[in-house]
Amino acid sequence: MIYLDYQATTPLAPEVEQAMHPWLGEKFANPHAPYRAGREAAAAISVARDRVAALVGQGGTLAFTGSATEAINWAIKGTLSRSDRPHMVTIATEHAAVLDTAEWHGRHHDVTILPVDRNGLVDLDAVRAAVTNDTALVAAMLVNNEIGVIQPVAEIAAIAHGKGALMLCDAVQGFGRMRIPEGPDLIAASAHKIHGPKAIGCLWKRDGCEPEPLIHGGGQEKGIRSGTLSPALCVGFGIAAKIAAERMEEDHAHVAALWEAATAQIDDWTINGSTDQRYRGNLNVRRQGLDSARLIAELRDIAISLGSACASGSGRPSHVLRALGLTDKQAKSSIRIGFGRYTTEEEITDALTRINEAAASQ
Ligand code: PLP
């Protein structure tokens, strides 16, 4: 298989797998237990927490969660329920974790969903007009999972703060791949997008910013997120974050070279979304008249996707591509090719040669 679906998930780094092993075997103690084995697990979690927090890079505190989806739910529900302001602002191209949580809150709060331009970028004047003294929270993602477009997160945070609102950044697709801009009060990230294990994420919180807990129970994570932590998952996340920090420039240069190789082979395709404000490990392209679902079915040993992994299979055209102004037909003639640390140029070239052949023969 040629794996080109790095936005859906990334391969586990070998160093991460190795580091997790003992915590799945002989070191099985509950990290919240008082005896030595428990304390050893707690200490390993503490090191992991510092490693992940260092990649967010702005002080504050970090709580582990079961996923970025949980972190986002916590940030939105916990902030809105603690605020007496009745309004939230977000963007049409956000991940379902944000949009569906906002929609759920729409029963109790006013939610403004801002459009994006043809390039997938939000207009800062529109943000300024939407955020008012009634706004509790503004949510904007760093890097879009479907089209790789980078939103002006620092500027959006400044606008939110100007009106006394908080800002949540879904940093899942940018975390570990680029520096997270200063400004957000709450940042959600996920281990499995940075070569860490699945089913662990985190919510970073600026000091003084305390959303109400989402998960109640045994009072772990200093009482704000109950549930026994998994030392294996935390340690894996920590090592993934450490490697991502150490290799950020190297990974970035590698992805830039892969982007050049890929874009040299897409004469008959149009890139969806901005090419300037973009994380270049995401190539989302459309080709006139293509049936992309059929293309993917024909190329089973090349892992590419129609867009977000959560939405694929629904048959619905991508809400992100629709927000760019693409027709249903154009959205359904689009594919997402995602690459990163372990992708080779040869894989990109081979895959695109076969994708082009299959598309031309439709
Ligand atoms: N936000 C973005 C932008 C994502 O790409 C994803 C995962 O696809 C998530 C949130 C959810 O992350 P998790 O899989 O950890 O719940």
Side-chain angles (χ1 to χ4, degrees), residues 104-162:
W104 182 86
H105 251 287
R107 290 186 267 165
H108 317 286
H109 285 75
D110 243 4
V111 180
T112 302
I113 299 183
L114 295 170
V116 293
D117 65 15
R118 193 90 197 158
N119 285 322
L121 289 160
V122 71
D123 175 7
L124 288 174
D125 283 335
V127 181
R128 260 176 227 110
V131 180
T132 70
N133 293 329
D134 279 340
T135 309
L137 184 68
V138 180
M141 73 203 318
L142 180 55
V143 173
N144 186 274
N145 51 307
E146 292 198 38
I147 53 174
V149 166
I150 301 171
Q151 296 293 358
V153 162
E155 289 81 352
I156 295 170
I159 295 169
H161 294 159

Side-chain angles (χ1 to χ4, degrees), residues 13-350:
E15 302 91 328
V16 170
E17 190 180 350
Q18 209 181 7
M20 287 173 67
H21 253 269
W23 303 100
L24 292 164
E26 74 272 22
K27 293 176 187 266
F28 60 84
N30 187 318
H32 312 290
Y35 38 81
R36 194 195 302 150
R39 285 176 182 221
E40 195 192 340
I45 289 174
S46 168
V47 171
R49 192 189 308 279
D50 289 348
R51 286 178 169 150
V52 178
L55 200 53
V56 183
Q58 310 170 23
T61 55
L62 183 135
F64 286 117
T65 58
S67 61
T69 300
E70 181 196 322
I72 290 166
N73 269 264
W74 179 9
I76 296 177
K77 293 179 182 175
T79 301
L80 294 185
S81 62
R82 264 212 173 142
S83 173
D84 48 19
R85 294 177 170 215
H87 181 227
M88 171 181 171
V89 176
T90 189
I91 304 172
T93 48
E94 292 292 306
H95 190 272
V98 169
L99 289 177
D100 288 8
T101 309
E103 189 190 308
W104 182 86
H105 251 287
R107 290 186 267 165
H108 317 286
H109 285 75
D110 243 4
V111 180
T112 302
I113 299 183
L114 295 170
V116 293
D117 65 15
R118 193 90 197 158
N119 285 322
L121 289 160
V122 71
D123 175 7
L124 288 174
D125 283 335
V127 181
R128 260 176 227 110
V131 180
T132 70
N133 293 329
D134 279 340
T135 309
L137 184 68
V138 180
M141 73 203 318
L142 180 55
V143 173
N144 186 274
N145 51 307
E146 292 198 38
I147 53 174
V149 166
I150 301 171
Q151 296 293 358
V153 162
E155 289 81 352
I156 295 170
I159 295 169
H161 294 159
K163 294 287 182 186
L166 295 176
M167 199 261 174
L168 161 67
C169 178
D170 168 357
V172 168
Q173 296 284 344
F175 182 68
R177 295 172 175 166
M178 59 184 284
R179 199 183 58 78
I180 299 179
E182 299 222 0
D185 304 286
L186 296 152
I187 298 173
S190 186
H192 73 104
K193 312 290 183 175
I194 62 161
H195 307 286
K198 292 170 187 59
I200 180 160
C202 66
L203 182 65
W204 175 89
K205 301 179 271 95
R206 182 181 299 292
D207 290 338
C209 173
E210 283 303 335
E212 197 170 329
L214 181 70
I215 310 258
H216 302 268
Q220 290 88 349
E221 293 291 74
K222 300 202 172 102
I224 56 170
R225 195 273 182 185
S226 290
T228 305
L229 287 173
S230 159
L233 295 180
C234 294
V235 166
F237 196 0
I239 295 292
K242 177 174 177 284
I243 298 171
E246 288 165 358
R247 292 184 51 138
M248 198 174 289
E249 278 180 27
E250 192 186 332
D251 283 350
H252 185 81
H254 180 59
V255 162
L258 295 173
W259 169 270
E260 292 303 320
T263 50
Q265 279 184 270
I266 52 163
D267 286 349
D268 299 319
W269 302 78
T270 306
I271 298 179
N272 292 323
S274 169
T275 48
D276 300 329
Q277 297 299 311
R278 189 187 196 100
Y279 168 65
R280 298 194 158 207
N282 177 316
L283 182 61
N284 190 315
V285 281
R286 67 179 188 275
R287 181 171 164 135
Q288 208 180 346
L290 181 78
D291 178 344
S292 51
R294 198 177 125 201
L295 181 91
I296 287 170
E298 281 166 7
L299 298 172
R300 286 278 178 213
D301 60 331
I302 301 179
I304 52 172
S305 78
L306 297 173
S308 89
C310 341
S312 66
S314 71
R316 276 174 296 155
S318 145
H319 74 280
V320 173
L321 297 180
R322 296 286 289 120
L324 300 192
L326 267 60
T327 61
D328 281 3
K329 209 160 178 231
Q330 285 174 317
K332 287 183 172 181
S333 66
S334 299
I335 53 171
R336 182 184 68 187
I337 303 171
F339 36 83
R341 186 183 297 163
Y342 302 113
T343 315
T344 63
E345 269 190 48
E346 197 186 358
E347 285 180 311
I348 290 280
T349 311
D350 286 356

